[in-house]
Amino acid sequence: MDPRRLRDTALAALVPVAACSVALAGLTAWVGTGRAGSPARVQVTEGKVLLPSAGVPETAAFFRIANTGGSADTLVSVTAHDVSGEVTFSRHRMRQGNSAYRSQIDSVSVAAGDTLAMSPSGVDLTVPVPSAGWRSGDLVSFTLEFRRSGLVKSLAVVVRPGEVSFQ
């Protein structure tokens, strides 16, 4: 057998073997961290509801949602205690000329190992105002339903719009 041909054959076989070795090392590291195939682990914190202006039928609510698990999850619905009407998801959008508008969305995804911080300039919840109204400092009970994690209950405090930071 020709030595040059033998060298070319060995080099041709080396490329897929090296690629497989790199992939196997990456998978081994992923499994070693305990994240391979682990379920979504969702935590809902920092709930805020903006105090609505007099006579306004709806307001906005915001949460911080952290997914520390190894799988993505999706927020599919939200209900608020003592509120009649549907809580909906909204996303802030910009038009040319710097005008903004709110578009309704069906669900909100939270990637594995990621955090979603709802804000007036991103994703938020549109909440009907109850007939009794709210005062600053009131606590509102919410139930957030995730596709994989199921139901998560959380409280949100009613705050005046100028007194809240979304950092």
Side-chain angles (χ1 to χ4, degrees):
M1 187 170 245
D2 182 16
R4 190 169 160 203
R5 193 172 191 178
L6 183 62
R7 181 181 55 107
D8 289 345
T9 303
L11 284 175
L14 183 62
V15 170
V17 169
C20 288
S21 297
V22 168
L24 182 59
L27 288 171
T28 301
W30 186 42
V31 169
T33 62
R35 295 184 53 137
S38 67
R41 285 194 271 303
V42 174
Q43 297 169 324
V44 180
T45 59
E46 299 179 32
K48 298 173 184 81
V49 177
L50 296 182
L51 183 66
S53 299
V56 176
E58 57 189 28
T59 190
F62 310 93
F63 291 93
R64 178 176 294 276
I65 302 171
N67 180 358
T68 59
S71 300
D73 209 342
T74 303
L75 178 59
V76 293
S77 72
V78 177
T79 55
H81 187 66
D82 291 335
V83 171
S84 61
E86 183 180 13
V87 176
T88 59
F89 305 112
S90 305
R91 183 176 303 277
H92 179 87
R93 305 271 189 202
M94 294 297 293
R95 290 189 177 118
Q96 284 184 319
N98 292 331
S99 65
Y101 68 99
R102 176 179 75 187
S103 69
Q104 190 170 336
I105 54 178
D106 295 328
S107 61
V108 180
S109 295
V110 184
D114 202 4
T115 298
L116 168 70
M118 293 181 175
S119 73
S121 60
V123 174
D124 65 16
L125 302 173
T126 302
V127 182
V129 177
S131 57
W134 288 311
R135 292 186 313 256
S136 185
D138 286 350
L139 293 177
V140 182
S141 176
F142 284 86
T143 302
L144 294 81
E145 182 180 358
F146 293 87
R147 186 167 287 135
R148 292 193 169 129
S149 300
L151 301 177
V152 177
K153 293 182 183 274
S154 187
L155 292 175
V157 63
V158 177
V159 295
R160 294 183 189 280
E163 297 175 355
V164 63
S165 172
F166 293 99
Q167 303 296 328

